[in-house]
Amino acid sequence: MLLVTCHYCGARPEIEFRCGGEAHIARPADPSALDDRAWSEFLFYRTNPRGVHAERWNHVHGCGRWFNALRNTASDAFLATYPAGGKRPDVATGGK
Amino acid sequence: MRRFSLRSLVTEAINAHQGWQRQWRAPEPKPAYDAIIVGGGGHGLATAYYMAKQHGMRNIAVLEKGWIGGGNTGRNTTIIRSNYLYDESAAIYEHAMKLWEGLSQELNYNVMFSQRGVLMLAHHVHDVQSFKRHIYANRLNGIDNEWLTPEQAKAFCPPLNLSRDIRYPVVGAALQRRGGVARHDAVAWGFARGADAMGVDIIQNCEVTGIMRGVDGAVSAVETSRGTIRTRRIGVVAAGNTSVVMERAGLRMPLESFPLQALVSEPVKPVFPCVLMSNAVHAYISQSDKGELVIGAGTDQYVSYSQQGGLHITTHTLDAICELFPQFSRLRMLRSWGGVVDVTPDRSPIIGKTSIPGLFVNCGWGTGGFKATPGSGHVFAHTLATGEPHPINAPFTLDRFSSGRLIDEAAAAAVAH
């Protein structure tokens, strides 16, 4: 089980959280202006990197707030947390 | 390739087993191939086998970054069934099932395919309605699947606890008698041996680090840890690492990779006659020929390539197993491990072309790819050899995520499977 550091409450066990998937995927402002391919990109296509991943977490059984985290998907090590809507921090890859 | 037979066994028994040969060569990569398959798991090796066998393509190579069958092929719980809801899924999994039924003879290699029956438990009225719908849909597609009352399920699987005071009592079950298990390592080895005998180069410890394209935009070569290899046709069959490989060609994929865990108990005498699964309480269990209970758990919630998952995921599964089979609560678990599964938004695979000429992909099998191994290889071999999909994999395009023609087994099963 991961030890997830809530941006607001500190380190808590993973079962208090829901992972919300990749961060920084903004809903297009005018969906009807998009073609099918661009809409599909928004809905379904993901970076899925082996390395640093920006992802959303919700401290659902705690403070209930959303925040973003950077985590290395090869080692599962968390590198940073930052507020939802915030700019992605520039950090080293960490882990293996 | 030396064929296995009673005669060869007797001969070798007399000669102290000194005459057995290597099952496949360890060739150096050639400078160029007609086609290259990236990924030496069951699906990749099956693809190579059927390309050589059915399409006469012998100048091909399988590149594997580790050792063959060392990824998800060697990490799954070996469940084989074909009772999927939608016509497209039913067609491809039943195609695989028919190939499984003759695979040991086809490969001259005992893959220990055992059709001991797959029992899926229903725990509430929604399960009952859903399973019966599956059963009728399966029958229309010519696939066996039948409804059992709790008592009939108990007769088929005597260890089952029918008590009414467990958290989710058993209210019935769907049974596919032709379902079962196979020896997963033997599947990889059998396909590798068969492909190698027809001239396919199986190159292990060879990681693809780049996919190069010519001036026409089509693929021209792969860069690997063992040098550059020219080819005009590439089939990526890299399971959990598909996004990583495709990124090297500059393509994003509708995939996310999650850890999926399994575990085995200490070996015991034969106590479990079938494969049993319950989507509702999340339990997958069968007994291996060594006597271990083989138990499958669910995926973790986050993207990871670490090949390990959280302990709470496996304990959740064991909670369910111990409710359904209280007698197993005193068994010790011997080993647990994780694999990395590539999951699509609709939980159906992607098998076909990409936007790059010459680049094909077979991925997205998620948590249930082992059962499809021969069928997947067979239709992907057709796709790679002819450049066009086989009718069976034609619906499983990458384009379906743009066109909206999803094959939504995620909704059908209400669980990753």
PDB file of all heavy atoms in Angstrom, chain B residues 44-78:
ATOM      1  N   GLY B  44       2.882 -12.389 -28.699  1.00  0.00           N
ATOM      2  CA  GLY B  44       3.898 -12.108 -29.711  1.00  0.00           C
ATOM      3  C   GLY B  44       4.418 -13.385 -30.345  1.00  0.00           C
ATOM      4  O   GLY B  44       4.588 -13.469 -31.567  1.00  0.00           O
ATOM      5  N   LEU B  45       4.674 -14.393 -29.523  1.00  0.00           N
ATOM      6  CA  LEU B  45       5.193 -15.653 -30.039  1.00  0.00           C
ATOM      7  C   LEU B  45       4.131 -16.367 -30.875  1.00  0.00           C
ATOM      8  O   LEU B  45       4.438 -16.953 -31.908  1.00  0.00           O
ATOM      9  CB  LEU B  45       5.654 -16.545 -28.881  1.00  0.00           C
ATOM     10  CG  LEU B  45       6.868 -15.999 -28.117  1.00  0.00           C
ATOM     11  CD1 LEU B  45       7.037 -16.705 -26.777  1.00  0.00           C
ATOM     12  CD2 LEU B  45       8.137 -16.127 -28.952  1.00  0.00           C
ATOM     13  N   ALA B  46       2.875 -16.291 -30.443  1.00  0.00           N
ATOM     14  CA  ALA B  46       1.793 -16.893 -31.234  1.00  0.00           C
ATOM     15  C   ALA B  46       1.676 -16.180 -32.573  1.00  0.00           C
ATOM     16  O   ALA B  46       1.458 -16.822 -33.616  1.00  0.00           O
ATOM     17  CB  ALA B  46       0.473 -16.814 -30.460  1.00  0.00           C
ATOM     18  N   THR B  47       1.836 -14.865 -32.554  1.00  0.00           N
ATOM     19  CA  THR B  47       1.782 -14.104 -33.805  1.00  0.00           C
ATOM     20  C   THR B  47       2.873 -14.593 -34.760  1.00  0.00           C
ATOM     21  O   THR B  47       2.615 -14.863 -35.945  1.00  0.00           O
ATOM     22  CB  THR B  47       1.975 -12.599 -33.525  1.00  0.00           C
ATOM     23  OG1 THR B  47       0.982 -12.177 -32.583  1.00  0.00           O
ATOM     24  CG2 THR B  47       1.859 -11.781 -34.789  1.00  0.00           C
ATOM     25  N   ALA B  48       4.092 -14.728 -34.241  1.00  0.00           N
ATOM     26  CA  ALA B  48       5.207 -15.193 -35.075  1.00  0.00           C
ATOM     27  C   ALA B  48       4.939 -16.595 -35.603  1.00  0.00           C
ATOM     28  O   ALA B  48       5.178 -16.893 -36.785  1.00  0.00           O
ATOM     29  CB  ALA B  48       6.496 -15.173 -34.260  1.00  0.00           C
ATOM     30  N   TYR B  49       4.412 -17.460 -34.739  1.00  0.00           N
ATOM     31  CA  TYR B  49       4.140 -18.840 -35.141  1.00  0.00           C
ATOM     32  C   TYR B  49       3.155 -18.892 -36.307  1.00  0.00           C
ATOM     33  O   TYR B  49       3.394 -19.545 -37.319  1.00  0.00           O
ATOM     34  CB  TYR B  49       3.589 -19.619 -33.940  1.00  0.00           C
ATOM     35  CG  TYR B  49       3.181 -21.035 -34.283  1.00  0.00           C
ATOM     36  CD1 TYR B  49       4.120 -22.050 -34.311  1.00  0.00           C
ATOM     37  CD2 TYR B  49       1.857 -21.343 -34.605  1.00  0.00           C
ATOM     38  CE1 TYR B  49       3.760 -23.338 -34.653  1.00  0.00           C
ATOM     39  CE2 TYR B  49       1.486 -22.633 -34.940  1.00  0.00           C
ATOM     40  CZ  TYR B  49       2.447 -23.636 -34.955  1.00  0.00           C
ATOM     41  OH  TYR B  49       2.080 -24.901 -35.306  1.00  0.00           O
ATOM     42  N   TYR B  50       2.039 -18.136 -36.172  1.00  0.00           N
ATOM     43  CA  TYR B  50       1.014 -18.206 -37.222  1.00  0.00           C
ATOM     44  C   TYR B  50       1.449 -17.448 -38.483  1.00  0.00           C
ATOM     45  O   TYR B  50       1.016 -17.780 -39.586  1.00  0.00           O
ATOM     46  CB  TYR B  50      -0.329 -17.697 -36.700  1.00  0.00           C
ATOM     47  CG  TYR B  50      -0.968 -18.661 -35.723  1.00  0.00           C
ATOM     48  CD1 TYR B  50      -1.128 -18.333 -34.380  1.00  0.00           C
ATOM     49  CD2 TYR B  50      -1.403 -19.922 -36.138  1.00  0.00           C
ATOM     50  CE1 TYR B  50      -1.701 -19.219 -33.480  1.00  0.00           C
ATOM     51  CE2 TYR B  50      -1.974 -20.818 -35.246  1.00  0.00           C
ATOM     52  CZ  TYR B  50      -2.122 -20.464 -33.919  1.00  0.00           C
ATOM     53  OH  TYR B  50      -2.681 -21.352 -33.032  1.00  0.00           O
ATOM     54  N   MET B  51       2.306 -16.426 -38.326  1.00  0.00           N
ATOM     55  CA  MET B  51       2.837 -15.767 -39.534  1.00  0.00           C
ATOM     56  C   MET B  51       3.670 -16.746 -40.345  1.00  0.00           C
ATOM     57  O   MET B  51       3.602 -16.783 -41.580  1.00  0.00           O
ATOM     58  CB  MET B  51       3.694 -14.553 -39.155  1.00  0.00           C
ATOM     59  CG  MET B  51       2.882 -13.322 -38.786  1.00  0.00           C
ATOM     60  SD  MET B  51       3.921 -11.995 -38.174  1.00  0.00           S
ATOM     61  CE  MET B  51       4.473 -11.280 -39.712  1.00  0.00           C
ATOM     62  N   ALA B  52       4.465 -17.546 -39.650  1.00  0.00           N
ATOM     63  CA  ALA B  52       5.300 -18.527 -40.352  1.00  0.00           C
ATOM     64  C   ALA B  52       4.452 -19.681 -40.876  1.00  0.00           C
ATOM     65  O   ALA B  52       4.604 -20.119 -42.021  1.00  0.00           O
ATOM     66  CB  ALA B  52       6.382 -19.045 -39.406  1.00  0.00           C
ATOM     67  N   LYS B  53       3.527 -20.148 -40.041  1.00  0.00           N
ATOM     68  CA  LYS B  53       2.761 -21.345 -40.386  1.00  0.00           C
ATOM     69  C   LYS B  53       1.718 -21.066 -41.463  1.00  0.00           C
ATOM     70  O   LYS B  53       1.597 -21.812 -42.434  1.00  0.00           O
ATOM     71  CB  LYS B  53       2.069 -21.856 -39.117  1.00  0.00           C
ATOM     72  CG  LYS B  53       1.201 -23.090 -39.280  1.00  0.00           C
ATOM     73  CD  LYS B  53       2.042 -24.353 -39.204  1.00  0.00           C
ATOM     74  CE  LYS B  53       1.253 -25.602 -39.573  1.00  0.00           C
ATOM     75  NZ  LYS B  53       0.316 -26.007 -38.536  1.00  0.00           N
ATOM     76  N   GLN B  54       0.950 -19.988 -41.287  1.00  0.00           N
ATOM     77  CA  GLN B  54      -0.188 -19.763 -42.167  1.00  0.00           C
ATOM     78  C   GLN B  54       0.126 -18.836 -43.330  1.00  0.00           C
ATOM     79  O   GLN B  54      -0.580 -18.849 -44.332  1.00  0.00           O
ATOM     80  CB  GLN B  54      -1.340 -19.151 -41.364  1.00  0.00           C
ATOM     81  CG  GLN B  54      -1.660 -19.928 -40.113  1.00  0.00           C
ATOM     82  CD  GLN B  54      -3.057 -20.472 -40.121  1.00  0.00           C
ATOM     83  OE1 GLN B  54      -3.982 -19.746 -40.393  1.00  0.00           O
ATOM     84  NE2 GLN B  54      -3.219 -21.740 -39.853  1.00  0.00           N
ATOM     85  N   HIS B  55       1.143 -18.003 -43.179  1.00  0.00           N
ATOM     86  CA  HIS B  55       1.407 -16.997 -44.197  1.00  0.00           C
ATOM     87  C   HIS B  55       2.798 -17.146 -44.808  1.00  0.00           C
ATOM     88  O   HIS B  55       3.213 -16.307 -45.600  1.00  0.00           O
ATOM     89  CB  HIS B  55       1.218 -15.594 -43.610  1.00  0.00           C
ATOM     90  CG  HIS B  55      -0.155 -15.398 -43.031  1.00  0.00           C
ATOM     91  ND1 HIS B  55      -1.265 -15.122 -43.806  1.00  0.00           N
ATOM     92  CD2 HIS B  55      -0.606 -15.487 -41.757  1.00  0.00           C
ATOM     93  CE1 HIS B  55      -2.334 -15.027 -43.015  1.00  0.00           C
ATOM     94  NE2 HIS B  55      -1.965 -15.245 -41.784  1.00  0.00           N
ATOM     95  N   GLY B  56       3.516 -18.185 -44.411  1.00  0.00           N
ATOM     96  CA  GLY B  56       4.798 -18.493 -45.035  1.00  0.00           C
ATOM     97  C   GLY B  56       5.878 -17.455 -44.817  1.00  0.00           C
ATOM     98  O   GLY B  56       6.870 -17.432 -45.550  1.00  0.00           O
ATOM     99  N   MET B  57       5.709 -16.589 -43.817  1.00  0.00           N
ATOM    100  CA  MET B  57       6.745 -15.582 -43.568  1.00  0.00           C
ATOM    101  C   MET B  57       7.776 -16.166 -42.601  1.00  0.00           C
ATOM    102  O   MET B  57       7.504 -16.361 -41.425  1.00  0.00           O
ATOM    103  CB  MET B  57       6.122 -14.304 -42.992  1.00  0.00           C
ATOM    104  CG  MET B  57       5.198 -13.606 -43.985  1.00  0.00           C
ATOM    105  SD  MET B  57       4.520 -12.061 -43.331  1.00  0.00           S
ATOM    106  CE  MET B  57       5.973 -11.018 -43.310  1.00  0.00           C
ATOM    107  N   ARG B  58       8.958 -16.442 -43.126  1.00  0.00           N
ATOM    108  CA  ARG B  58       9.981 -17.086 -42.291  1.00  0.00           C
ATOM    109  C   ARG B  58      11.070 -16.105 -41.867  1.00  0.00           C
ATOM    110  O   ARG B  58      11.767 -16.347 -40.902  1.00  0.00           O
ATOM    111  CB  ARG B  58      10.619 -18.261 -43.055  1.00  0.00           C
ATOM    112  CG  ARG B  58       9.605 -19.289 -43.569  1.00  0.00           C
ATOM    113  CD  ARG B  58       8.974 -20.031 -42.400  1.00  0.00           C
ATOM    114  NE  ARG B  58       7.764 -20.755 -42.775  1.00  0.00           N
ATOM    115  CZ  ARG B  58       7.743 -22.040 -43.138  1.00  0.00           C
ATOM    116  NH1 ARG B  58       8.853 -22.711 -43.210  1.00  0.00           N
ATOM    117  NH2 ARG B  58       6.603 -22.622 -43.435  1.00  0.00           N
ATOM    118  N   ASN B  59      11.224 -15.015 -42.635  1.00  0.00           N
ATOM    119  CA  ASN B  59      12.293 -14.053 -42.325  1.00  0.00           C
ATOM    120  C   ASN B  59      11.756 -12.989 -41.353  1.00  0.00           C
ATOM    121  O   ASN B  59      11.624 -11.817 -41.685  1.00  0.00           O
ATOM    122  CB  ASN B  59      12.793 -13.415 -43.624  1.00  0.00           C
ATOM    123  CG  ASN B  59      13.974 -12.498 -43.380  1.00  0.00           C
ATOM    124  OD1 ASN B  59      14.751 -12.713 -42.456  1.00  0.00           O
ATOM    125  ND2 ASN B  59      14.089 -11.450 -44.182  1.00  0.00           N
ATOM    126  N   ILE B  60      11.387 -13.452 -40.170  1.00  0.00           N
ATOM    127  CA  ILE B  60      10.829 -12.535 -39.176  1.00  0.00           C
ATOM    128  C   ILE B  60      11.529 -12.762 -37.835  1.00  0.00           C
ATOM    129  O   ILE B  60      12.173 -13.788 -37.618  1.00  0.00           O
ATOM    130  CB  ILE B  60       9.300 -12.697 -39.010  1.00  0.00           C
ATOM    131  CG1 ILE B  60       8.933 -14.116 -38.586  1.00  0.00           C
ATOM    132  CG2 ILE B  60       8.580 -12.348 -40.305  1.00  0.00           C
ATOM    133  CD1 ILE B  60       7.439 -14.324 -38.383  1.00  0.00           C
ATOM    134  N   ALA B  61      11.419 -11.764 -36.962  1.00  0.00           N
ATOM    135  CA  ALA B  61      12.068 -11.869 -35.652  1.00  0.00           C
ATOM    136  C   ALA B  61      11.112 -11.413 -34.563  1.00  0.00           C
ATOM    137  O   ALA B  61      10.273 -10.548 -34.773  1.00  0.00           O
ATOM    138  CB  ALA B  61      13.325 -11.008 -35.606  1.00  0.00           C
ATOM    139  N   VAL B  62      11.259 -12.030 -33.407  1.00  0.00           N
ATOM    140  CA  VAL B  62      10.575 -11.591 -32.188  1.00  0.00           C
ATOM    141  C   VAL B  62      11.642 -10.992 -31.277  1.00  0.00           C
ATOM    142  O   VAL B  62      12.626 -11.660 -30.956  1.00  0.00           O
ATOM    143  CB  VAL B  62       9.881 -12.773 -31.475  1.00  0.00           C
ATOM    144  CG1 VAL B  62       9.219 -12.296 -30.194  1.00  0.00           C
ATOM    145  CG2 VAL B  62       8.872 -13.447 -32.390  1.00  0.00           C
ATOM    146  N   LEU B  63      11.478  -9.724 -30.914  1.00  0.00           N
ATOM    147  CA  LEU B  63      12.434  -9.071 -30.021  1.00  0.00           C
ATOM    148  C   LEU B  63      11.826  -8.989 -28.626  1.00  0.00           C
ATOM    149  O   LEU B  63      10.724  -8.489 -28.447  1.00  0.00           O
ATOM    150  CB  LEU B  63      12.763  -7.659 -30.523  1.00  0.00           C
ATOM    151  CG  LEU B  63      13.221  -7.530 -31.977  1.00  0.00           C
ATOM    152  CD1 LEU B  63      13.602  -6.078 -32.276  1.00  0.00           C
ATOM    153  CD2 LEU B  63      14.391  -8.452 -32.275  1.00  0.00           C
ATOM    154  N   GLU B  64      12.554  -9.489 -27.656  1.00  0.00           N
ATOM    155  CA  GLU B  64      12.060  -9.511 -26.275  1.00  0.00           C
ATOM    156  C   GLU B  64      13.105  -8.856 -25.384  1.00  0.00           C
ATOM    157  O   GLU B  64      14.266  -9.249 -25.400  1.00  0.00           O
ATOM    158  CB  GLU B  64      11.801 -10.962 -25.858  1.00  0.00           C
ATOM    159  CG  GLU B  64      11.605 -11.182 -24.376  1.00  0.00           C
ATOM    160  CD  GLU B  64      10.516 -10.320 -23.762  1.00  0.00           C
ATOM    161  OE1 GLU B  64       9.405 -10.265 -24.313  1.00  0.00           O
ATOM    162  OE2 GLU B  64      10.782  -9.682 -22.716  1.00  0.00           O
ATOM    163  N   LYS B  65      12.694  -7.866 -24.602  1.00  0.00           N
ATOM    164  CA  LYS B  65      13.696  -7.142 -23.804  1.00  0.00           C
ATOM    165  C   LYS B  65      14.198  -7.975 -22.627  1.00  0.00           C
ATOM    166  O   LYS B  65      15.299  -7.765 -22.152  1.00  0.00           O
ATOM    167  CB  LYS B  65      13.148  -5.804 -23.328  1.00  0.00           C
ATOM    168  CG  LYS B  65      12.183  -5.882 -22.179  1.00  0.00           C
ATOM    169  CD  LYS B  65      11.879  -4.493 -21.630  1.00  0.00           C
ATOM    170  CE  LYS B  65      10.845  -4.591 -20.525  1.00  0.00           C
ATOM    171  NZ  LYS B  65      10.568  -3.326 -19.889  1.00  0.00           N
ATOM    172  N   GLY B  66      13.396  -8.893 -22.137  1.00  0.00           N
ATOM    173  CA  GLY B  66      13.825  -9.777 -21.050  1.00  0.00           C
ATOM    174  C   GLY B  66      13.978 -11.190 -21.583  1.00  0.00           C
ATOM    175  O   GLY B  66      14.714 -11.433 -22.529  1.00  0.00           O
ATOM    176  N   TRP B  67      13.237 -12.103 -20.995  1.00  0.00           N
ATOM    177  CA  TRP B  67      13.206 -13.466 -21.503  1.00  0.00           C
ATOM    178  C   TRP B  67      11.775 -13.785 -21.906  1.00  0.00           C
ATOM    179  O   TRP B  67      10.839 -13.189 -21.376  1.00  0.00           O
ATOM    180  CB  TRP B  67      13.733 -14.447 -20.454  1.00  0.00           C
ATOM    181  CG  TRP B  67      12.919 -14.518 -19.207  1.00  0.00           C
ATOM    182  CD1 TRP B  67      11.930 -15.412 -18.930  1.00  0.00           C
ATOM    183  CD2 TRP B  67      12.995 -13.650 -18.050  1.00  0.00           C
ATOM    184  NE1 TRP B  67      11.400 -15.160 -17.689  1.00  0.00           N
ATOM    185  CE2 TRP B  67      12.023 -14.097 -17.133  1.00  0.00           C
ATOM    186  CE3 TRP B  67      13.792 -12.549 -17.719  1.00  0.00           C
ATOM    187  CZ2 TRP B  67      11.825 -13.476 -15.903  1.00  0.00           C
ATOM    188  CZ3 TRP B  67      13.587 -11.930 -16.488  1.00  0.00           C
ATOM    189  CH2 TRP B  67      12.619 -12.398 -15.599  1.00  0.00           C
ATOM    190  N   ILE B  68      11.626 -14.734 -22.844  1.00  0.00           N
ATOM    191  CA  ILE B  68      10.283 -14.970 -23.381  1.00  0.00           C
ATOM    192  C   ILE B  68       9.359 -15.532 -22.292  1.00  0.00           C
ATOM    193  O   ILE B  68       9.769 -16.344 -21.469  1.00  0.00           O
ATOM    194  CB  ILE B  68      10.294 -15.902 -24.614  1.00  0.00           C
ATOM    195  CG1 ILE B  68      10.887 -17.267 -24.269  1.00  0.00           C
ATOM    196  CG2 ILE B  68      11.030 -15.267 -25.775  1.00  0.00           C
ATOM    197  CD1 ILE B  68      10.619 -18.299 -25.354  1.00  0.00           C
ATOM    198  N   GLY B  69       8.150 -15.043 -22.329  1.00  0.00           N
ATOM    199  CA  GLY B  69       7.168 -15.506 -21.354  1.00  0.00           C
ATOM    200  C   GLY B  69       7.440 -15.024 -19.931  1.00  0.00           C
ATOM    201  O   GLY B  69       6.853 -15.526 -18.988  1.00  0.00           O
ATOM    202  N   GLY B  70       8.313 -14.035 -19.765  1.00  0.00           N
ATOM    203  CA  GLY B  70       8.663 -13.580 -18.420  1.00  0.00           C
ATOM    204  C   GLY B  70       7.808 -12.428 -17.932  1.00  0.00           C
ATOM    205  O   GLY B  70       7.930 -11.977 -16.796  1.00  0.00           O
ATOM    206  N   GLY B  71       6.935 -11.926 -18.785  1.00  0.00           N
ATOM    207  CA  GLY B  71       6.046 -10.836 -18.388  1.00  0.00           C
ATOM    208  C   GLY B  71       4.712 -11.398 -17.930  1.00  0.00           C
ATOM    209  O   GLY B  71       4.656 -12.320 -17.110  1.00  0.00           O
ATOM    210  N   ASN B  72       3.643 -10.857 -18.498  1.00  0.00           N
ATOM    211  CA  ASN B  72       2.319 -11.266 -18.039  1.00  0.00           C
ATOM    212  C   ASN B  72       1.986 -12.713 -18.390  1.00  0.00           C
ATOM    213  O   ASN B  72       1.161 -13.333 -17.722  1.00  0.00           O
ATOM    214  CB  ASN B  72       1.255 -10.325 -18.622  1.00  0.00           C
ATOM    215  CG  ASN B  72       1.415  -8.918 -18.083  1.00  0.00           C
ATOM    216  OD1 ASN B  72       2.148  -8.689 -17.125  1.00  0.00           O
ATOM    217  ND2 ASN B  72       0.736  -7.980 -18.705  1.00  0.00           N
ATOM    218  N   THR B  73       2.643 -13.268 -19.427  1.00  0.00           N
ATOM    219  CA  THR B  73       2.407 -14.672 -19.772  1.00  0.00           C
ATOM    220  C   THR B  73       2.761 -15.577 -18.601  1.00  0.00           C
ATOM    221  O   THR B  73       2.084 -16.576 -18.348  1.00  0.00           O
ATOM    222  CB  THR B  73       3.231 -15.060 -21.015  1.00  0.00           C
ATOM    223  OG1 THR B  73       2.844 -14.207 -22.083  1.00  0.00           O
ATOM    224  CG2 THR B  73       2.998 -16.506 -21.404  1.00  0.00           C
ATOM    225  N   GLY B  74       3.822 -15.223 -17.873  1.00  0.00           N
ATOM    226  CA  GLY B  74       4.226 -16.040 -16.738  1.00  0.00           C
ATOM    227  C   GLY B  74       3.644 -15.581 -15.417  1.00  0.00           C
ATOM    228  O   GLY B  74       4.002 -16.099 -14.367  1.00  0.00           O
ATOM    229  N   ARG B  75       2.736 -14.613 -15.452  1.00  0.00           N
ATOM    230  CA  ARG B  75       2.256 -14.007 -14.206  1.00  0.00           C
ATOM    231  C   ARG B  75       0.748 -14.098 -14.023  1.00  0.00           C
ATOM    232  O   ARG B  75       0.218 -13.638 -13.020  1.00  0.00           O
ATOM    233  CB  ARG B  75       2.649 -12.518 -14.180  1.00  0.00           C
ATOM    234  CG  ARG B  75       4.135 -12.301 -14.074  1.00  0.00           C
ATOM    235  CD  ARG B  75       4.536 -10.878 -14.442  1.00  0.00           C
ATOM    236  NE  ARG B  75       5.985 -10.764 -14.473  1.00  0.00           N
ATOM    237  CZ  ARG B  75       6.740 -10.400 -13.442  1.00  0.00           C
ATOM    238  NH1 ARG B  75       6.183 -10.059 -12.314  1.00  0.00           N
ATOM    239  NH2 ARG B  75       8.039 -10.357 -13.549  1.00  0.00           N
ATOM    240  N   ASN B  76       0.059 -14.663 -14.996  1.00  0.00           N
ATOM    241  CA  ASN B  76      -1.412 -14.645 -14.924  1.00  0.00           C
ATOM    242  C   ASN B  76      -1.922 -15.887 -14.209  1.00  0.00           C
ATOM    243  O   ASN B  76      -1.162 -16.777 -13.831  1.00  0.00           O
ATOM    244  CB  ASN B  76      -1.979 -14.543 -16.337  1.00  0.00           C
ATOM    245  CG  ASN B  76      -1.616 -15.742 -17.155  1.00  0.00           C
ATOM    246  OD1 ASN B  76      -2.221 -16.786 -17.035  1.00  0.00           O
ATOM    247  ND2 ASN B  76      -0.574 -15.617 -17.977  1.00  0.00           N
ATOM    248  N   THR B  77      -3.252 -15.954 -14.054  1.00  0.00           N
ATOM    249  CA  THR B  77      -3.850 -17.093 -13.356  1.00  0.00           C
ATOM    250  C   THR B  77      -4.437 -18.117 -14.331  1.00  0.00           C
ATOM    251  O   THR B  77      -5.201 -18.978 -13.929  1.00  0.00           O
ATOM    252  CB  THR B  77      -4.942 -16.629 -12.375  1.00  0.00           C
ATOM    253  OG1 THR B  77      -5.873 -15.813 -13.074  1.00  0.00           O
ATOM    254  CG2 THR B  77      -4.345 -15.819 -11.255  1.00  0.00           C
ATOM    255  N   THR B  78      -4.095 -17.996 -15.611  1.00  0.00           N
ATOM    256  CA  THR B  78      -4.297 -19.010 -16.667  1.00  0.00           C
ATOM    257  C   THR B  78      -5.759 -19.376 -16.932  1.00  0.00           C
ATOM    258  O   THR B  78      -6.032 -20.452 -17.446  1.00  0.00           O
ATOM    259  CB  THR B  78      -3.502 -20.307 -16.395  1.00  0.00           C
ATOM    260  OG1 THR B  78      -4.153 -21.093 -15.397  1.00  0.00           O
ATOM    261  CG2 THR B  78      -2.079 -20.032 -15.968  1.00  0.00           C
TER     262      THR B  78
END
